[in-house]
Structures are given as C-alpha cells and as structure tokens.
Amino acid sequence: MTNDTPKLLLVDDEERFRTTLAKRLKESGFAVQTVGSGMDALALLAKEPCDAVVLDIRMPGLSGIETLAEIRKNHIGVEVILLTGDADVPSAIEGMRLGAFDYLMKPHDYDSLLEKLNQAVALKRQREERLRKAEERAQLDRLEKTIRF
C-alpha cells in the first residue's frame, strides 16, 4: 500500500456482504476499512480520513441518509456512494440532495461499482489538487504584495 492507494470505508450492517465486498475491493487495490453502523463510520472518519465511503441506507440506529448528512457537515471532501437493497425514490432524492456521488442498487455489478469508486476518488483528488494550487497562488500573491511595499 502506498500513499496513493485509495482509502475506502465500507458501511453496511450485513457482515457477510461487508466482508465479501471488502475482500474484492482490497484485491482491486483499495485500502478498505469496514464498519457495521453509521455511528461507527462517523467515529472512524473522525480518526482516519478516507477518500470515499460506500454507505448502506437502511441500517439500525443512524440511517445511511443521516450518516451522509453528518459526513457532509464534518468531512466535506469525502465522496459517498449510497448502495442499498431497499431503494425508494424519496431516499434517492434525499441522498443526491445531500451530495452523494451516486446512488446504486444491490445487487450491483462489481465492475460498475469499481468504476464509480474510481471516479469518486479521482474527483476528490482533483478537487484537493485545485485547492492546493489555489492556496499556493494565494501565498504567492501575499508574498508579491509584501515585496512591493
């Protein structure tokens, strides 16, 4: 694993699904952590940043939509893909309104999920690079102003 290895968090209350998907994602080159609830996901994100979250919607305790809202408040740059076996239009609309990268149905084709994850990680990293360049430009502007006066 390198610093460029995409870091994922897989959140699903179905342990067997979580374990199987995590194994496949690790084989595809991701660093994957798994948790079984929204609360555990928020606790882990507070300690360890990640690039993307695959988030189940229907979970006991904090739902996926509630978890997504908390992720948006405290971890703005993290991309979230909602993956659910119980899709309904209101949750899909709410998830997208809250800024989910995508909303997918279980069972979902693995290659398609992998493509979505790669797109989500690429988007996050492009945004971080633009931010880094903007901060560099701002520092250069401040330095130039300091030199002139």
Side-chain angles (χ1 to χ4, degrees):
M1 184 167 53
T2 67
N3 285 342
D4 291 338
T5 302
K7 295 177 184 170
L8 301 180
L9 175 58
L10 179 57
V11 186
D12 198 303
D13 60 328
E14 295 176 40
E15 184 178 350
R16 189 173 177 175
F17 174 79
R18 204 172 56 229
T19 304
T20 303
L21 183 56
K23 182 179 177 186
R24 291 190 75 187
L25 290 168
K26 287 176 184 174
E27 291 170 355
S28 296
F30 291 90
V32 182
Q33 292 194 311
T34 66
V35 293
S37 73
M39 291 302 292
D40 289 345
L42 296 174
L44 186 61
L45 282 171
K47 291 188 284 185
E48 297 181 37
C50 73
D51 296 306
V53 176
V54 177
L55 181 61
D56 188 15
I57 290 183
R58 292 192 193 263
M59 295 183 290
L62 205 59
S63 75
I65 296 296
E66 293 167 324
T67 304
L68 172 60
E70 290 299 314
I71 290 172
R72 283 288 159 256
K73 285 181 195 170
N74 301 308
H75 309 281
I76 295 168
V78 175
E79 294 296 337
V80 176
I81 295 175
L82 297 169
L83 184 61
T84 184
D86 301 312
D88 61 76
V89 173
S91 71
I93 291 170
E94 183 64 10
M96 298 311 283
R97 188 187 69 72
L98 289 169
F101 182 81
D102 211 335
Y103 183 95
L104 305 174
M105 289 287 301
K106 291 180 189 172
H108 196 77
D109 173 59
Y110 180 74
D111 290 335
S112 177
L113 174 62
L114 201 54
E115 184 179 330
K116 292 288 182 187
L117 283 169
N118 283 320
Q119 290 171 352
V121 169
L123 177 66
K124 180 183 183 278
R125 291 185 174 179
Q126 288 168 0
R127 188 174 42 244
E128 288 173 345
E129 181 64 16
R130 287 194 310 269
L131 181 61
R132 187 188 62 75
K133 287 181 178 179
E135 288 171 350
E136 283 179 2
R137 279 193 303 270
Q139 283 181 336
L140 286 174
D141 287 347
R142 283 192 297 270
L143 184 61
E144 236 179 75
K145 287 178 184 175
T146 304
I147 291 171
R148 284 188 207 155
F149 294 104

